[in-house]
PDB file of all heavy atoms in Angstrom:
ATOM      1  N   GLY A   1       3.632   3.659   4.368  1.00  0.00           N
ATOM      2  CA  GLY A   1       3.861   3.110   5.688  1.00  0.00           C
ATOM      3  C   GLY A   1       3.820   4.187   6.762  1.00  0.00           C
ATOM      4  O   GLY A   1       3.737   5.387   6.474  1.00  0.00           O
ATOM      5  N   PHE A   2       3.889   3.745   8.007  1.00  0.00           N
ATOM      6  CA  PHE A   2       3.822   4.653   9.148  1.00  0.00           C
ATOM      7  C   PHE A   2       5.235   5.153   9.419  1.00  0.00           C
ATOM      8  O   PHE A   2       5.941   4.651  10.298  1.00  0.00           O
ATOM      9  CB  PHE A   2       3.245   3.903  10.344  1.00  0.00           C
ATOM     10  CG  PHE A   2       2.876   4.794  11.502  1.00  0.00           C
ATOM     11  CD1 PHE A   2       1.808   5.661  11.415  1.00  0.00           C
ATOM     12  CD2 PHE A   2       3.605   4.742  12.685  1.00  0.00           C
ATOM     13  CE1 PHE A   2       1.467   6.472  12.489  1.00  0.00           C
ATOM     14  CE2 PHE A   2       3.264   5.546  13.761  1.00  0.00           C
ATOM     15  CZ  PHE A   2       2.197   6.409  13.657  1.00  0.00           C
ATOM     16  N   GLY A   3       5.653   6.151   8.647  1.00  0.00           N
ATOM     17  CA  GLY A   3       7.024   6.644   8.756  1.00  0.00           C
ATOM     18  C   GLY A   3       7.080   8.145   8.902  1.00  0.00           C
ATOM     19  O   GLY A   3       6.639   8.879   8.005  1.00  0.00           O
ATOM     20  N   TYR A   4       7.640   8.617  10.031  1.00  0.00           N
ATOM     21  CA  TYR A   4       7.738  10.046  10.309  1.00  0.00           C
ATOM     22  C   TYR A   4       9.086  10.327  10.970  1.00  0.00           C
ATOM     23  O   TYR A   4       9.606   9.516  11.735  1.00  0.00           O
ATOM     24  CB  TYR A   4       6.610  10.512  11.229  1.00  0.00           C
ATOM     25  CG  TYR A   4       5.240  10.300  10.639  1.00  0.00           C
ATOM     26  CD1 TYR A   4       4.562   9.100  10.823  1.00  0.00           C
ATOM     27  CD2 TYR A   4       4.629  11.292   9.872  1.00  0.00           C
ATOM     28  CE1 TYR A   4       3.313   8.886  10.255  1.00  0.00           C
ATOM     29  CE2 TYR A   4       3.378  11.089   9.309  1.00  0.00           C
ATOM     30  CZ  TYR A   4       2.730   9.882   9.505  1.00  0.00           C
ATOM     31  OH  TYR A   4       1.497   9.685   8.934  1.00  0.00           O
ATOM     32  N   ALA A   5       9.630  11.456  10.665  1.00  0.00           N
ATOM     33  CA  ALA A   5      10.832  11.937  11.344  1.00  0.00           C
ATOM     34  C   ALA A   5      10.407  13.046  12.294  1.00  0.00           C
ATOM     35  O   ALA A   5       9.852  14.068  11.864  1.00  0.00           O
ATOM     36  CB  ALA A   5      11.843  12.458  10.328  1.00  0.00           C
ATOM     37  N   THR A   6      10.641  12.829  13.587  1.00  0.00           N
ATOM     38  CA  THR A   6      10.253  13.820  14.586  1.00  0.00           C
ATOM     39  C   THR A   6      11.385  14.826  14.774  1.00  0.00           C
ATOM     40  O   THR A   6      12.500  14.457  15.144  1.00  0.00           O
ATOM     41  CB  THR A   6       9.911  13.137  15.912  1.00  0.00           C
ATOM     42  OG1 THR A   6       8.858  12.194  15.690  1.00  0.00           O
ATOM     43  CG2 THR A   6       9.460  14.158  16.943  1.00  0.00           C
ATOM     44  N   HIS A   7      11.092  16.082  14.505  1.00  0.00           N
ATOM     45  CA  HIS A   7      12.102  17.138  14.586  1.00  0.00           C
ATOM     46  C   HIS A   7      11.500  18.338  15.291  1.00  0.00           C
ATOM     47  O   HIS A   7      10.463  18.859  14.881  1.00  0.00           O
ATOM     48  CB  HIS A   7      12.564  17.537  13.167  1.00  0.00           C
ATOM     49  CG  HIS A   7      13.592  18.625  13.149  1.00  0.00           C
ATOM     50  ND1 HIS A   7      14.888  18.433  13.578  1.00  0.00           N
ATOM     51  CD2 HIS A   7      13.499  19.925  12.743  1.00  0.00           C
ATOM     52  CE1 HIS A   7      15.558  19.543  13.425  1.00  0.00           C
ATOM     53  NE2 HIS A   7      14.745  20.482  12.943  1.00  0.00           N
ATOM     54  N   ASN A   8      12.140  18.752  16.398  1.00  0.00           N
ATOM     55  CA  ASN A   8      11.667  19.892  17.182  1.00  0.00           C
ATOM     56  C   ASN A   8      10.199  19.718  17.593  1.00  0.00           C
ATOM     57  O   ASN A   8       9.408  20.660  17.544  1.00  0.00           O
ATOM     58  CB  ASN A   8      11.848  21.201  16.413  1.00  0.00           C
ATOM     59  CG  ASN A   8      13.301  21.576  16.240  1.00  0.00           C
ATOM     60  OD1 ASN A   8      14.152  21.182  17.056  1.00  0.00           O
ATOM     61  ND2 ASN A   8      13.613  22.323  15.181  1.00  0.00           N
ATOM     62  N   GLY A   9       9.861  18.477  17.956  1.00  0.00           N
ATOM     63  CA  GLY A   9       8.516  18.207  18.463  1.00  0.00           C
ATOM     64  C   GLY A   9       7.454  18.045  17.397  1.00  0.00           C
ATOM     65  O   GLY A   9       6.274  17.898  17.729  1.00  0.00           O
ATOM     66  N   VAL A  10       7.844  18.066  16.135  1.00  0.00           N
ATOM     67  CA  VAL A  10       6.876  17.927  15.046  1.00  0.00           C
ATOM     68  C   VAL A  10       7.175  16.652  14.271  1.00  0.00           C
ATOM     69  O   VAL A  10       8.330  16.352  13.964  1.00  0.00           O
ATOM     70  CB  VAL A  10       6.929  19.145  14.099  1.00  0.00           C
ATOM     71  CG1 VAL A  10       5.957  18.962  12.935  1.00  0.00           C
ATOM     72  CG2 VAL A  10       6.609  20.419  14.870  1.00  0.00           C
ATOM     73  N   HIS A  11       6.118  15.876  13.925  1.00  0.00           N
ATOM     74  CA  HIS A  11       6.261  14.642  13.161  1.00  0.00           C
ATOM     75  C   HIS A  11       6.186  14.970  11.668  1.00  0.00           C
ATOM     76  O   HIS A  11       5.128  15.350  11.160  1.00  0.00           O
ATOM     77  CB  HIS A  11       5.161  13.650  13.533  1.00  0.00           C
ATOM     78  CG  HIS A  11       5.061  13.394  15.004  1.00  0.00           C
ATOM     79  ND1 HIS A  11       6.125  12.957  15.754  1.00  0.00           N
ATOM     80  CD2 HIS A  11       4.016  13.534  15.863  1.00  0.00           C
ATOM     81  CE1 HIS A  11       5.743  12.808  17.011  1.00  0.00           C
ATOM     82  NE2 HIS A  11       4.475  13.168  17.106  1.00  0.00           N
ATOM     83  N   HIS A  12       7.287  14.793  10.967  1.00  0.00           N
ATOM     84  CA  HIS A  12       7.354  15.120   9.548  1.00  0.00           C
ATOM     85  C   HIS A  12       7.249  13.835   8.727  1.00  0.00           C
ATOM     86  O   HIS A  12       8.049  12.906   8.916  1.00  0.00           O
ATOM     87  CB  HIS A  12       8.672  15.837   9.231  1.00  0.00           C
ATOM     88  CG  HIS A  12       8.832  17.142   9.947  1.00  0.00           C
ATOM     89  ND1 HIS A  12       8.365  18.338   9.436  1.00  0.00           N
ATOM     90  CD2 HIS A  12       9.393  17.432  11.158  1.00  0.00           C
ATOM     91  CE1 HIS A  12       8.643  19.311  10.289  1.00  0.00           C
ATOM     92  NE2 HIS A  12       9.269  18.791  11.339  1.00  0.00           N
ATOM     93  N   LYS A  13       6.306  13.801   7.815  1.00  0.00           N
ATOM     94  CA  LYS A  13       6.079  12.623   7.002  1.00  0.00           C
ATOM     95  C   LYS A  13       7.286  12.331   6.116  1.00  0.00           C
ATOM     96  O   LYS A  13       7.873  13.229   5.506  1.00  0.00           O
ATOM     97  CB  LYS A  13       4.842  12.802   6.124  1.00  0.00           C
ATOM     98  CG  LYS A  13       4.502  11.590   5.267  1.00  0.00           C
ATOM     99  CD  LYS A  13       3.231  11.829   4.467  1.00  0.00           C
ATOM    100  CE  LYS A  13       2.919  10.634   3.583  1.00  0.00           C
ATOM    101  NZ  LYS A  13       2.638   9.414   4.357  1.00  0.00           N
ATOM    102  N   ILE A  14       7.653  11.031   6.032  1.00  0.00           N
ATOM    103  CA  ILE A  14       8.706  10.584   5.134  1.00  0.00           C
ATOM    104  C   ILE A  14       8.053  10.050   3.867  1.00  0.00           C
ATOM    105  O   ILE A  14       7.262   9.111   3.916  1.00  0.00           O
ATOM    106  CB  ILE A  14       9.549   9.475   5.789  1.00  0.00           C
ATOM    107  CG1 ILE A  14      10.200  10.000   7.078  1.00  0.00           C
ATOM    108  CG2 ILE A  14      10.598   8.947   4.818  1.00  0.00           C
ATOM    109  CD1 ILE A  14      10.894   8.920   7.878  1.00  0.00           C
ATOM    110  N   PRO A  15       8.344  10.621   2.705  1.00  0.00           N
ATOM    111  CA  PRO A  15       7.784  10.077   1.463  1.00  0.00           C
ATOM    112  C   PRO A  15       8.203   8.617   1.280  1.00  0.00           C
ATOM    113  O   PRO A  15       9.361   8.255   1.509  1.00  0.00           O
ATOM    114  CB  PRO A  15       8.396  10.966   0.373  1.00  0.00           C
ATOM    115  CG  PRO A  15       8.788  12.226   1.076  1.00  0.00           C
ATOM    116  CD  PRO A  15       9.185  11.810   2.458  1.00  0.00           C
ATOM    117  N   HIS A  16       7.251   7.789   0.905  1.00  0.00           N
ATOM    118  CA  HIS A  16       7.528   6.374   0.695  1.00  0.00           C
ATOM    119  C   HIS A  16       7.691   6.140  -0.802  1.00  0.00           C
ATOM    120  O   HIS A  16       6.718   6.142  -1.555  1.00  0.00           O
ATOM    121  CB  HIS A  16       6.413   5.525   1.287  1.00  0.00           C
ATOM    122  CG  HIS A  16       6.525   5.385   2.769  1.00  0.00           C
ATOM    123  ND1 HIS A  16       6.515   6.473   3.619  1.00  0.00           N
ATOM    124  CD2 HIS A  16       6.686   4.295   3.559  1.00  0.00           C
ATOM    125  CE1 HIS A  16       6.655   6.051   4.871  1.00  0.00           C
ATOM    126  NE2 HIS A  16       6.761   4.739   4.853  1.00  0.00           N
ATOM    127  N   VAL A  17       8.922   5.929  -1.218  1.00  0.00           N
ATOM    128  CA  VAL A  17       9.230   5.831  -2.642  1.00  0.00           C
ATOM    129  C   VAL A  17       9.439   4.382  -3.081  1.00  0.00           C
ATOM    130  O   VAL A  17       9.761   4.133  -4.243  1.00  0.00           O
ATOM    131  CB  VAL A  17      10.471   6.673  -2.983  1.00  0.00           C
ATOM    132  CG1 VAL A  17      10.204   8.140  -2.684  1.00  0.00           C
ATOM    133  CG2 VAL A  17      11.709   6.193  -2.208  1.00  0.00           C
ATOM    134  N   GLY A  18       9.256   3.434  -2.161  1.00  0.00           N
ATOM    135  CA  GLY A  18       9.345   2.023  -2.518  1.00  0.00           C
ATOM    136  C   GLY A  18       8.027   1.509  -3.076  1.00  0.00           C
ATOM    137  O   GLY A  18       7.166   2.277  -3.506  1.00  0.00           O
ATOM    138  N   HIS A  19       7.852   0.189  -3.043  1.00  0.00           N
ATOM    139  CA  HIS A  19       6.614  -0.395  -3.557  1.00  0.00           C
ATOM    140  C   HIS A  19       6.361  -1.732  -2.870  1.00  0.00           C
ATOM    141  O   HIS A  19       7.099  -2.124  -1.956  1.00  0.00           O
ATOM    142  CB  HIS A  19       6.679  -0.561  -5.075  1.00  0.00           C
ATOM    143  CG  HIS A  19       7.726  -1.521  -5.553  1.00  0.00           C
ATOM    144  ND1 HIS A  19       9.067  -1.226  -5.557  1.00  0.00           N
ATOM    145  CD2 HIS A  19       7.620  -2.785  -6.040  1.00  0.00           C
ATOM    146  CE1 HIS A  19       9.752  -2.254  -6.032  1.00  0.00           C
ATOM    147  NE2 HIS A  19       8.891  -3.222  -6.330  1.00  0.00           N
ATOM    148  N   VAL A  20       5.320  -2.440  -3.309  1.00  0.00           N
ATOM    149  CA  VAL A  20       4.959  -3.759  -2.786  1.00  0.00           C
ATOM    150  C   VAL A  20       5.028  -4.765  -3.917  1.00  0.00           C
ATOM    151  O   VAL A  20       4.600  -4.476  -5.048  1.00  0.00           O
ATOM    152  CB  VAL A  20       3.547  -3.757  -2.185  1.00  0.00           C
ATOM    153  CG1 VAL A  20       3.114  -5.177  -1.793  1.00  0.00           C
ATOM    154  CG2 VAL A  20       3.472  -2.833  -0.979  1.00  0.00           C
ATOM    155  N   GLU A  21       5.576  -5.948  -3.626  1.00  0.00           N
ATOM    156  CA  GLU A  21       5.555  -7.055  -4.570  1.00  0.00           C
ATOM    157  C   GLU A  21       4.880  -8.259  -3.935  1.00  0.00           C
ATOM    158  O   GLU A  21       5.282  -8.702  -2.855  1.00  0.00           O
ATOM    159  CB  GLU A  21       6.976  -7.421  -5.010  1.00  0.00           C
ATOM    160  CG  GLU A  21       7.656  -6.361  -5.856  1.00  0.00           C
ATOM    161  CD  GLU A  21       9.009  -6.794  -6.387  1.00  0.00           C
ATOM    162  OE1 GLU A  21       9.373  -7.981  -6.180  1.00  0.00           O
ATOM    163  OE2 GLU A  21       9.698  -5.958  -6.998  1.00  0.00           O
ATOM    164  N   ILE A  22       3.842  -8.738  -4.592  1.00  0.00           N
ATOM    165  CA  ILE A  22       3.117  -9.936  -4.162  1.00  0.00           C
ATOM    166  C   ILE A  22       3.467 -11.045  -5.149  1.00  0.00           C
ATOM    167  O   ILE A  22       3.191 -10.927  -6.347  1.00  0.00           O
ATOM    168  CB  ILE A  22       1.591  -9.706  -4.159  1.00  0.00           C
ATOM    169  CG1 ILE A  22       1.230  -8.427  -3.390  1.00  0.00           C
ATOM    170  CG2 ILE A  22       0.877 -10.928  -3.597  1.00  0.00           C
ATOM    171  CD1 ILE A  22       1.515  -8.462  -1.924  1.00  0.00           C
ATOM    172  N   GLU A  23       4.061 -12.121  -4.672  1.00  0.00           N
ATOM    173  CA  GLU A  23       4.497 -13.182  -5.574  1.00  0.00           C
ATOM    174  C   GLU A  23       3.335 -14.099  -5.965  1.00  0.00           C
ATOM    175  O   GLU A  23       2.207 -13.916  -5.500  1.00  0.00           O
ATOM    176  CB  GLU A  23       5.646 -13.968  -4.932  1.00  0.00           C
ATOM    177  CG  GLU A  23       6.888 -13.107  -4.724  1.00  0.00           C
ATOM    178  CD  GLU A  23       8.069 -13.877  -4.157  1.00  0.00           C
ATOM    179  OE1 GLU A  23       7.922 -15.084  -3.874  1.00  0.00           O
ATOM    180  OE2 GLU A  23       9.153 -13.263  -4.003  1.00  0.00           O
ATOM    181  N   ASN A  24       3.607 -15.083  -6.795  1.00  0.00           N
ATOM    182  CA  ASN A  24       2.565 -15.947  -7.347  1.00  0.00           C
ATOM    183  C   ASN A  24       1.813 -16.730  -6.270  1.00  0.00           C
ATOM    184  O   ASN A  24       2.366 -17.077  -5.225  1.00  0.00           O
ATOM    185  CB  ASN A  24       3.172 -16.960  -8.323  1.00  0.00           C
ATOM    186  CG  ASN A  24       3.774 -16.313  -9.544  1.00  0.00           C
ATOM    187  OD1 ASN A  24       3.548 -15.133  -9.821  1.00  0.00           O
ATOM    188  ND2 ASN A  24       4.551 -17.085 -10.293  1.00  0.00           N
ATOM    189  N   ASP A  25       0.546 -17.024  -6.565  1.00  0.00           N
ATOM    190  CA  ASP A  25      -0.279 -17.946  -5.777  1.00  0.00           C
ATOM    191  C   ASP A  25      -0.507 -17.486  -4.335  1.00  0.00           C
ATOM    192  O   ASP A  25      -0.699 -18.298  -3.433  1.00  0.00           O
ATOM    193  CB  ASP A  25       0.343 -19.355  -5.777  1.00  0.00           C
ATOM    194  CG  ASP A  25       0.460 -19.916  -7.182  1.00  0.00           C
ATOM    195  OD1 ASP A  25      -0.571 -20.017  -7.865  1.00  0.00           O
ATOM    196  OD2 ASP A  25       1.595 -20.236  -7.604  1.00  0.00           O
ATOM    197  N   VAL A  26      -0.505 -16.186  -4.139  1.00  0.00           N
ATOM    198  CA  VAL A  26      -0.813 -15.615  -2.824  1.00  0.00           C
ATOM    199  C   VAL A  26      -2.313 -15.328  -2.748  1.00  0.00           C
ATOM    200  O   VAL A  26      -2.922 -14.902  -3.729  1.00  0.00           O
ATOM    201  CB  VAL A  26      -0.005 -14.320  -2.591  1.00  0.00           C
ATOM    202  CG1 VAL A  26      -0.514 -13.553  -1.366  1.00  0.00           C
ATOM    203  CG2 VAL A  26       1.477 -14.650  -2.439  1.00  0.00           C
ATOM    204  N   GLU A  27      -2.903 -15.557  -1.585  1.00  0.00           N
ATOM    205  CA  GLU A  27      -4.297 -15.147  -1.338  1.00  0.00           C
ATOM    206  C   GLU A  27      -4.315 -14.245  -0.113  1.00  0.00           C
ATOM    207  O   GLU A  27      -3.762 -14.598   0.933  1.00  0.00           O
ATOM    208  CB  GLU A  27      -5.220 -16.338  -1.143  1.00  0.00           C
ATOM    209  CG  GLU A  27      -6.674 -15.921  -0.946  1.00  0.00           C
ATOM    210  CD  GLU A  27      -7.673 -17.030  -1.207  1.00  0.00           C
ATOM    211  OE1 GLU A  27      -7.247 -18.175  -1.464  1.00  0.00           O
ATOM    212  OE2 GLU A  27      -8.892 -16.751  -1.153  1.00  0.00           O
ATOM    213  N   ILE A  28      -4.960 -13.097  -0.251  1.00  0.00           N
ATOM    214  CA  ILE A  28      -5.013 -12.085   0.807  1.00  0.00           C
ATOM    215  C   ILE A  28      -6.471 -11.862   1.164  1.00  0.00           C
ATOM    216  O   ILE A  28      -7.307 -11.632   0.289  1.00  0.00           O
ATOM    217  CB  ILE A  28      -4.363 -10.775   0.336  1.00  0.00           C
ATOM    218  CG1 ILE A  28      -2.879 -11.020   0.012  1.00  0.00           C
ATOM    219  CG2 ILE A  28      -4.495  -9.684   1.393  1.00  0.00           C
ATOM    220  CD1 ILE A  28      -2.194  -9.853  -0.640  1.00  0.00           C
ATOM    221  N   GLY A  29      -6.785 -11.919   2.452  1.00  0.00           N
ATOM    222  CA  GLY A  29      -8.169 -11.808   2.904  1.00  0.00           C
ATOM    223  C   GLY A  29      -8.713 -10.393   2.816  1.00  0.00           C
ATOM    224  O   GLY A  29      -8.096  -9.486   2.257  1.00  0.00           O
ATOM    225  N   ALA A  30      -9.883 -10.213   3.404  1.00  0.00           N
ATOM    226  CA  ALA A  30     -10.560  -8.918   3.356  1.00  0.00           C
ATOM    227  C   ALA A  30      -9.968  -7.952   4.385  1.00  0.00           C
ATOM    228  O   ALA A  30      -9.498  -8.352   5.448  1.00  0.00           O
ATOM    229  CB  ALA A  30     -12.045  -9.103   3.625  1.00  0.00           C
ATOM    230  N   ASN A  31      -9.990  -6.668   4.026  1.00  0.00           N
ATOM    231  CA  ASN A  31      -9.607  -5.593   4.950  1.00  0.00           C
ATOM    232  C   ASN A  31      -8.185  -5.729   5.472  1.00  0.00           C
ATOM    233  O   ASN A  31      -7.901  -5.436   6.631  1.00  0.00           O
ATOM    234  CB  ASN A  31     -10.596  -5.521   6.123  1.00  0.00           C
ATOM    235  CG  ASN A  31     -11.992  -5.190   5.674  1.00  0.00           C
ATOM    236  OD1 ASN A  31     -12.243  -4.141   5.112  1.00  0.00           O
ATOM    237  ND2 ASN A  31     -12.918  -6.123   5.897  1.00  0.00           N
ATOM    238  N   CYS A  32      -7.295  -6.150   4.614  1.00  0.00           N
ATOM    239  CA  CYS A  32      -5.875  -6.187   4.956  1.00  0.00           C
ATOM    240  C   CYS A  32      -5.200  -4.912   4.457  1.00  0.00           C
ATOM    241  O   CYS A  32      -5.728  -4.222   3.586  1.00  0.00           O
ATOM    242  CB  CYS A  32      -5.196  -7.403   4.338  1.00  0.00           C
ATOM    243  SG  CYS A  32      -5.827  -8.987   4.952  1.00  0.00           S
ATOM    244  N   ALA A  33      -4.033  -4.610   5.021  1.00  0.00           N
ATOM    245  CA  ALA A  33      -3.280  -3.427   4.610  1.00  0.00           C
ATOM    246  C   ALA A  33      -1.807  -3.806   4.526  1.00  0.00           C
ATOM    247  O   ALA A  33      -1.223  -4.263   5.511  1.00  0.00           O
ATOM    248  CB  ALA A  33      -3.483  -2.273   5.584  1.00  0.00           C
ATOM    249  N   ILE A  34      -1.226  -3.625   3.348  1.00  0.00           N
ATOM    250  CA  ILE A  34       0.180  -3.952   3.124  1.00  0.00           C
ATOM    251  C   ILE A  34       0.891  -2.666   2.704  1.00  0.00           C
ATOM    252  O   ILE A  34       0.685  -2.146   1.606  1.00  0.00           O
ATOM    253  CB  ILE A  34       0.325  -5.043   2.049  1.00  0.00           C
ATOM    254  CG1 ILE A  34      -0.475  -6.289   2.463  1.00  0.00           C
ATOM    255  CG2 ILE A  34       1.790  -5.383   1.830  1.00  0.00           C
ATOM    256  CD1 ILE A  34      -0.492  -7.381   1.422  1.00  0.00           C
ATOM    257  N   ASP A  35       1.715  -2.137   3.609  1.00  0.00           N
ATOM    258  CA  ASP A  35       2.381  -0.856   3.367  1.00  0.00           C
ATOM    259  C   ASP A  35       3.449  -0.973   2.291  1.00  0.00           C
ATOM    260  O   ASP A  35       4.185  -1.969   2.233  1.00  0.00           O
ATOM    261  CB  ASP A  35       3.070  -0.365   4.639  1.00  0.00           C
ATOM    262  CG  ASP A  35       2.115  -0.066   5.780  1.00  0.00           C
ATOM    263  OD1 ASP A  35       0.896  -0.070   5.541  1.00  0.00           O
ATOM    264  OD2 ASP A  35       2.613   0.165   6.896  1.00  0.00           O
ATOM    265  N   ARG A  36       3.585   0.067   1.478  1.00  0.00           N
ATOM    266  CA  ARG A  36       4.724   0.147   0.574  1.00  0.00           C
ATOM    267  C   ARG A  36       5.956   0.504   1.394  1.00  0.00           C
ATOM    268  O   ARG A  36       5.878   1.111   2.466  1.00  0.00           O
ATOM    269  CB  ARG A  36       4.483   1.176  -0.529  1.00  0.00           C
ATOM    270  CG  ARG A  36       4.538   2.610  -0.082  1.00  0.00           C
ATOM    271  CD  ARG A  36       4.026   3.588  -1.134  1.00  0.00           C
ATOM    272  NE  ARG A  36       4.610   3.417  -2.445  1.00  0.00           N
ATOM    273  CZ  ARG A  36       3.959   2.903  -3.506  1.00  0.00           C
ATOM    274  NH1 ARG A  36       2.707   2.517  -3.386  1.00  0.00           N
ATOM    275  NH2 ARG A  36       4.556   2.787  -4.664  1.00  0.00           N
ATOM    276  N   ALA A  37       7.114   0.114   0.904  1.00  0.00           N
ATOM    277  CA  ALA A  37       8.365   0.410   1.600  1.00  0.00           C
ATOM    278  C   ALA A  37       8.713   1.882   1.464  1.00  0.00           C
ATOM    279  O   ALA A  37       8.402   2.526   0.457  1.00  0.00           O
ATOM    280  CB  ALA A  37       9.486  -0.447   1.028  1.00  0.00           C
ATOM    281  N   ALA A  38       9.375   2.417   2.487  1.00  0.00           N
ATOM    282  CA  ALA A  38       9.890   3.779   2.370  1.00  0.00           C
ATOM    283  C   ALA A  38      10.912   3.833   1.248  1.00  0.00           C
ATOM    284  O   ALA A  38      10.901   4.740   0.406  1.00  0.00           O
ATOM    285  CB  ALA A  38      10.509   4.225   3.689  1.00  0.00           C
ATOM    286  N   VAL A  39      11.803   2.863   1.226  1.00  0.00           N
ATOM    287  CA  VAL A  39      12.705   2.633   0.096  1.00  0.00           C
ATOM    288  C   VAL A  39      12.770   1.120  -0.094  1.00  0.00           C
ATOM    289  O   VAL A  39      12.649   0.365   0.855  1.00  0.00           O
ATOM    290  CB  VAL A  39      14.119   3.204   0.349  1.00  0.00           C
ATOM    291  CG1 VAL A  39      14.097   4.711   0.408  1.00  0.00           C
ATOM    292  CG2 VAL A  39      14.712   2.634   1.640  1.00  0.00           C
ATOM    293  N   GLY A  40      12.942   0.669  -1.309  1.00  0.00           N
ATOM    294  CA  GLY A  40      13.011  -0.759  -1.552  1.00  0.00           C
ATOM    295  C   GLY A  40      11.638  -1.387  -1.694  1.00  0.00           C
ATOM    296  O   GLY A  40      10.726  -0.804  -2.283  1.00  0.00           O
ATOM    297  N   VAL A  41      11.463  -2.586  -1.112  1.00  0.00           N
ATOM    298  CA  VAL A  41      10.291  -3.399  -1.398  1.00  0.00           C
ATOM    299  C   VAL A  41       9.699  -3.981  -0.118  1.00  0.00           C
ATOM    300  O   VAL A  41      10.427  -4.436   0.761  1.00  0.00           O
ATOM    301  CB  VAL A  41      10.651  -4.571  -2.347  1.00  0.00           C
ATOM    302  CG1 VAL A  41       9.421  -5.412  -2.667  1.00  0.00           C
ATOM    303  CG2 VAL A  41      11.285  -4.049  -3.616  1.00  0.00           C
ATOM    304  N   THR A  42       8.382  -3.956  -0.015  1.00  0.00           N
ATOM    305  CA  THR A  42       7.648  -4.806   0.914  1.00  0.00           C
ATOM    306  C   THR A  42       7.218  -6.030   0.117  1.00  0.00           C
ATOM    307  O   THR A  42       6.616  -5.895  -0.948  1.00  0.00           O
ATOM    308  CB  THR A  42       6.411  -4.090   1.475  1.00  0.00           C
ATOM    309  OG1 THR A  42       6.818  -2.907   2.157  1.00  0.00           O
ATOM    310  CG2 THR A  42       5.640  -4.990   2.416  1.00  0.00           C
ATOM    311  N   ARG A  43       7.497  -7.235   0.625  1.00  0.00           N
ATOM    312  CA  ARG A  43       7.305  -8.433  -0.185  1.00  0.00           C
ATOM    313  C   ARG A  43       6.449  -9.471   0.548  1.00  0.00           C
ATOM    314  O   ARG A  43       6.596  -9.660   1.760  1.00  0.00           O
ATOM    315  CB  ARG A  43       8.653  -9.052  -0.534  1.00  0.00           C
ATOM    316  CG  ARG A  43       8.586 -10.187  -1.558  1.00  0.00           C
ATOM    317  CD  ARG A  43       9.984 -10.771  -1.799  1.00  0.00           C
ATOM    318  NE  ARG A  43      10.966  -9.754  -2.140  1.00  0.00           N
ATOM    319  CZ  ARG A  43      11.123  -9.248  -3.357  1.00  0.00           C
ATOM    320  NH1 ARG A  43      10.335  -9.658  -4.349  1.00  0.00           N
ATOM    321  NH2 ARG A  43      12.036  -8.327  -3.574  1.00  0.00           N
ATOM    322  N   VAL A  44       5.568 -10.123  -0.213  1.00  0.00           N
ATOM    323  CA  VAL A  44       4.818 -11.279   0.282  1.00  0.00           C
ATOM    324  C   VAL A  44       5.173 -12.455  -0.622  1.00  0.00           C
ATOM    325  O   VAL A  44       4.965 -12.403  -1.839  1.00  0.00           O
ATOM    326  CB  VAL A  44       3.302 -11.027   0.272  1.00  0.00           C
ATOM    327  CG1 VAL A  44       2.561 -12.278   0.746  1.00  0.00           C
ATOM    328  CG2 VAL A  44       2.962  -9.832   1.159  1.00  0.00           C
ATOM    329  N   GLY A  45       5.715 -13.519  -0.032  1.00  0.00           N
ATOM    330  CA  GLY A  45       6.321 -14.591  -0.799  1.00  0.00           C
ATOM    331  C   GLY A  45       5.341 -15.573  -1.413  1.00  0.00           C
ATOM    332  O   GLY A  45       4.152 -15.650  -1.052  1.00  0.00           O
ATOM    333  N   LEU A  46       5.858 -16.350  -2.309  1.00  0.00           N
ATOM    334  CA  LEU A  46       5.128 -17.355  -3.071  1.00  0.00           C
ATOM    335  C   LEU A  46       4.218 -18.206  -2.192  1.00  0.00           C
ATOM    336  O   LEU A  46       4.656 -18.769  -1.188  1.00  0.00           O
ATOM    337  CB  LEU A  46       6.139 -18.261  -3.775  1.00  0.00           C
ATOM    338  CG  LEU A  46       5.601 -19.481  -4.517  1.00  0.00           C
ATOM    339  CD1 LEU A  46       4.937 -19.057  -5.812  1.00  0.00           C
ATOM    340  CD2 LEU A  46       6.738 -20.471  -4.785  1.00  0.00           C
ATOM    341  N   GLY A  47       2.953 -18.290  -2.564  1.00  0.00           N
ATOM    342  CA  GLY A  47       2.035 -19.226  -1.929  1.00  0.00           C
ATOM    343  C   GLY A  47       1.572 -18.865  -0.536  1.00  0.00           C
ATOM    344  O   GLY A  47       0.873 -19.653   0.102  1.00  0.00           O
TER     345      GLY A  47
END
């Protein structure tokens, strides 16, 4: 994901240690982007 900690004028990348869960019967179109969570889960629900 787009996650940075700005310190002393510099943008420091935050490691993203979470993940993505896509539930059953989901359809995702072309050229989409689903970020992983910095911590925890990014989720797309059933159907």
Side-chain angles (χ1 to χ4, degrees):
F2 191 70
Y4 299 88
T6 302
H7 179 70
N8 292 334
V10 178
H11 307 304
H12 298 272
K13 182 178 178 64
I14 300 172
H16 281 59
V17 298
H19 64 286
V20 173
E21 292 185 6
I22 309 294
E23 296 183 357
N24 295 347
D25 300 302
V26 168
E27 182 161 5
I28 298 172
N31 298 298
C32 297
I34 303 175
D35 296 351
R36 72 191 309 108
V39 293
V41 181
T42 300
R43 189 182 307 278
V44 178
L46 174 74

